[in-house]
Structures are given as structure tokens and as C-alpha cells.
Amino acid sequence: MDHKNSHSASYAAAGVDITAGYKAVELMKKHVARTRNEGCLDDVGGFGGCFGLPIAGMEEPVLVSGTDGCGTKVKLAILMDKHDTIGIDAVAMCVNDIICVGAKPLFFLDYIACGKNVPEKIATIVGGVAEGCVQSGAALIGGETAEHPGLMPVEDYDLAGFAVGIVDKKKIIDNTRMAEGDVVIALPSTGIHSNGFSLCRKVFNIDNNDPLLYEPREELGGKTIAEALLVPTRIYVKPVLALLEKVDVKGISHITGGGFYENIPRSIPDGLCARIHKAAVKVLPIFDLIAKFGNVPERDMFNTYNMGVGMSIVVPAAQAELAMQILKENGQDSYIIGQIIANAEEKVILE
């Protein structure tokens, strides 16, 4: 599209440079192109993203949607001036949710609000979004960048988005077949993911850019705390989709804000409970540091963070080994952390 005649000196004087927006779009097109799949019908730049639904072989196709952002993890990305992975987080928080009902992601749209549109920075952010889309198989079919002078400092931005997926109605994972004796399998996280950063900011004095953030630490394998916190959220879509083809998956929980105590119960039906063995959970070193520096009680840690488990999956005990083998074949480690028991009072017990 030709934007040579599109320039408003008055708007620029008010703090919004529309030509920067055009440049950002041009810079991000190469990233968007990486995400194209069979459903894409047009290119970025129009007023709406068009997508053809792949419903062949489905009796009752159901669309599943999810929306989220990266929370105050963005603050750390801004402090570190590292913007190439935060977009992965935005995609992960959405697609990891919709895979919990068995839906295959189809497409994603992002929204970036910024104090000042720096095209190269925006394109880098979108590059991360595109990488998340590639990892999940979703197409990035559109988005919006909004410049908000006076509302946000010039260096600040926020990032959110939403994903749409599809699943045959008869294959929706609704926990109705879950039974006593089923096994709870953990899929390891890459770290904090995108939740609990308000507590992290307090514990590590992030808002004041504490030098502690940038000291390499032996327990983190030589990484700094800042580097460990900024590691992007793992996207579980492809290995879970492979698992669904061969194993009777009865429930999936994406462990996000609220940790074990809020998220695991969301996939457990009334009358049953997930008994989680805390000693089996492979807690990552970054969580030990949060507990240590913040003097955070263990229950609060498990009620805020994923503690090293980004997703839990419930399968029949007889299929547990097969499930872990399939996950491994698809690049995903896993291990058993608990069982499903009868309990009318609670839906998760950590012991």
C-alpha cells in the first residue's frame, strides 16, 4: 500500500506519528509471513483478517477462543530492553488455554499499546508473537498497534492478544469421564512463564531496577535473575495434540495465575480430587529464589506460581507410560505428580 500522501503534521505535534505505524507494519510483514497456514485468505493491512475454517472430517466443529496478555512481565522486558520473546508469552497464554479443551489453534491477533511507536521495537515484539504462532501452528492474521502519548510513558508498552481454535464437539475434553485411580502427569515449565510478576517485582525490587537482577547466579546455571524471569512461556500445543490422537486424555490444566490451588481444580469434576505429591514436583531454582528473597510461604508459592509445572494432564493409569512416551517423542518431557481420588470436599490436595 502506498502511504506517501498520508501524513498529519498536527497529529504528529500531538504525539502520534501515523507514518511510524506504516513503517512498523512493513517491518513486521516478514514475521507474519512465517505463520501463514492453509486457512489464511489475505495479507496483513486490511480492515479484518479472513480465515477459512478447516472443518473436513468434523461432525460438529466448535470454535474455542482465549484471550490474555503478559501481565507485568512486560515491565522487565522494558527494563532489559529485550523485546524479542515477550510476544511468545502473549501467544502461549492464549493457545495453552484453548488446548485444555482439545482445540487446535487456528489463528491469533495481537494488540500493542505504546507510549511512542518505534517501528523497529514494534516489529521485534511482533517477531516474538510470530514465533509463538509458529510454535503453536496458529496463523497471525492481524493485529493493532495503538500509540498513546500522555497515557503511557514513551518507552512503555503493553501486549495482549487472542486465539481461536477448533475442535470436533465429540472430542471436547470436559472431565466427565475422569475417575478415581486416574494419573496426573506434569509437563515441566520453562520458569515463571507469565504469572506472578507483581510479586516478583516486589521480591526482587524490579521497579527500581535493583542490581541484584543482573548478577549471574550459580543456582540458575550462570543466568541472572532477570534472564531467568524473562524466559518465555512454553507452548504445549503440538505435543498435546499428538497425545490426544492416541491417549484417552480426561482433563488438562494450564497452570497460570493462582498456581496449583486454582488451576488444577478447574479440570476436576465434583466428587473427585487431584492428590498431588509435593515431593514429586521438580521445582525450578528460580522459585526457590523467590521464596528465599521474599520470605514467601510454601503454600503461597504453590498458590501463585506454576512451581515448575506448566500444565497437568489426567489420563488412565494404564495409559500413563504410553502418554509420557508420546510426549517425549514430540519433544516434551513429563512425569507423574499425583492421582485422582474420591473427595467431596476438595478438588486438589498437596501433601
Side-chain angles (χ1 to χ4, degrees):
M1 185 180 295
D2 186 0
H3 300 295
K4 292 180 180 178
N5 294 322
S6 181
H7 175 71
S8 170
S10 298
Y11 208 8
V16 178
D17 183 359
I18 57 176
T19 59
Y22 302 145
K23 182 178 180 182
V25 170
E26 291 303 316
L27 290 174
M28 68 178 68
K29 281 186 175 180
K30 63 180 180 182
H31 299 299
V32 175
R34 297 177 57 214
T35 75
R36 289 186 65 84
N37 60 29
E38 68 279 3
C40 295
L41 300 181
D42 59 8
D43 294 323
V44 172
F47 288 98
C50 299
F51 193 91
L53 290 178
I55 61 175
M58 291 191 180
E59 295 178 10
E60 293 184 80
V62 175
L63 294 179
V64 181
S65 60
T67 185
D68 210 337
C70 309
T72 57
K73 186 172 186 175
V74 173
K75 176 71 173 181
L76 187 58
I78 294 169
L79 282 176
M80 294 182 67
D81 193 24
K82 181 173 172 36
H83 313 286
D84 60 336
T85 60
I86 197 72
I88 299 175
D89 292 290
V91 176
M93 296 305 292
C94 298
V95 297
N96 283 346
D97 275 356
I98 66 175
I99 192 63
C100 288
V101 294
K104 176 184 178 181
L106 296 175
F107 59 83
F108 186 85
L109 283 86
D110 61 20
Y111 178 83
I112 304 170
C114 57
K116 180 177 176 60
N117 187 332
V118 179
E120 292 77 12
K121 180 193 286 187
I122 298 299
T124 299
I125 296 168
V126 173
V129 174
E131 175 58 29
C133 287
V134 169
Q135 290 183 23
S136 63
L140 179 56
I141 65 171
E144 174 69 10
T145 301
E147 200 168 9
H148 291 165
L151 184 61
M152 305 173 71
V154 294
E155 71 277 5
D156 279 6
Y157 65 88
D158 195 14
L159 171 63
F162 77 91
V164 174
I166 194 168
V167 62
D168 202 341
K169 187 176 181 179
K170 65 182 180 182
K171 294 184 178 180
I172 291 176
I173 301 169
D174 60 6
N175 78 24
T176 55
R177 294 174 297 99
M178 197 175 294
E180 187 175 5
D182 288 341
V183 170
V184 183
I185 295 176
L187 276 56
S189 69
T190 50
I192 300 295
H193 284 183
S194 299
N195 299 100
F197 270 83
S198 292
L199 179 55
C200 286
R201 286 164 54 211
K202 179 181 178 182
V203 168
F204 297 121
N205 197 21
I206 289 176
D207 290 348
N208 294 315
N209 207 12
D210 196 310
L212 171 69
L213 290 167
Y214 308 105
E215 297 173 2
R217 302 194 67 89
E218 183 178 349
E219 57 264 67
L220 297 176
K223 288 184 178 179
T224 66
I225 290 174
E227 289 171 335
L229 292 176
L230 203 57
V231 171
T233 306
R234 185 169 184 84
I235 293 176
Y236 300 100
V237 169
K238 291 181 178 179
V240 172
L241 285 174
L243 183 68
L244 293 174
E245 292 180 1
K246 299 180 180 179
V247 171
D248 182 17
V249 175
K250 298 183 177 182
I252 305 178
S253 294
H254 182 200
I255 313 299
T256 56
F260 283 54
Y261 286 101
E262 286 192 20
N263 292 288
I264 292 180
R266 294 169 68 179
S267 68
I268 309 297
D270 292 341
L272 295 179
C273 173
R275 174 188 283 161
I276 305 298
H277 307 298
K278 286 189 290 187
V281 176
K282 298 177 182 179
V283 178
L284 297 175
I286 186 62
F287 297 109
D288 293 330
L289 288 175
I290 293 171
K292 174 184 175 182
F293 281 94
N295 194 28
V296 182
E298 181 182 68
R299 193 190 190 286
D300 286 357
M301 290 296 297
F302 275 94
N303 206 166
T304 305
Y305 296 106
N306 66 63
M307 299 301 286
V309 178
M311 186 166 280
S312 65
I313 298 179
V314 177
V315 303
Q319 292 188 324
E321 290 300 324
L322 173 62
M324 291 187 287
Q325 177 185 334
I326 293 170
L327 289 167
K328 185 176 181 180
E329 290 172 353
N330 287 273
Q332 176 62 60
D333 292 334
S334 62
Y335 60 96
I336 295 172
I337 57 170
Q339 299 82 31
I340 299 300
I341 62 172
N343 189 323
E345 304 298 325
E346 300 181 80
K347 290 190 176 182
V348 65
I349 296 174
L350 275 69
E351 58 182 24

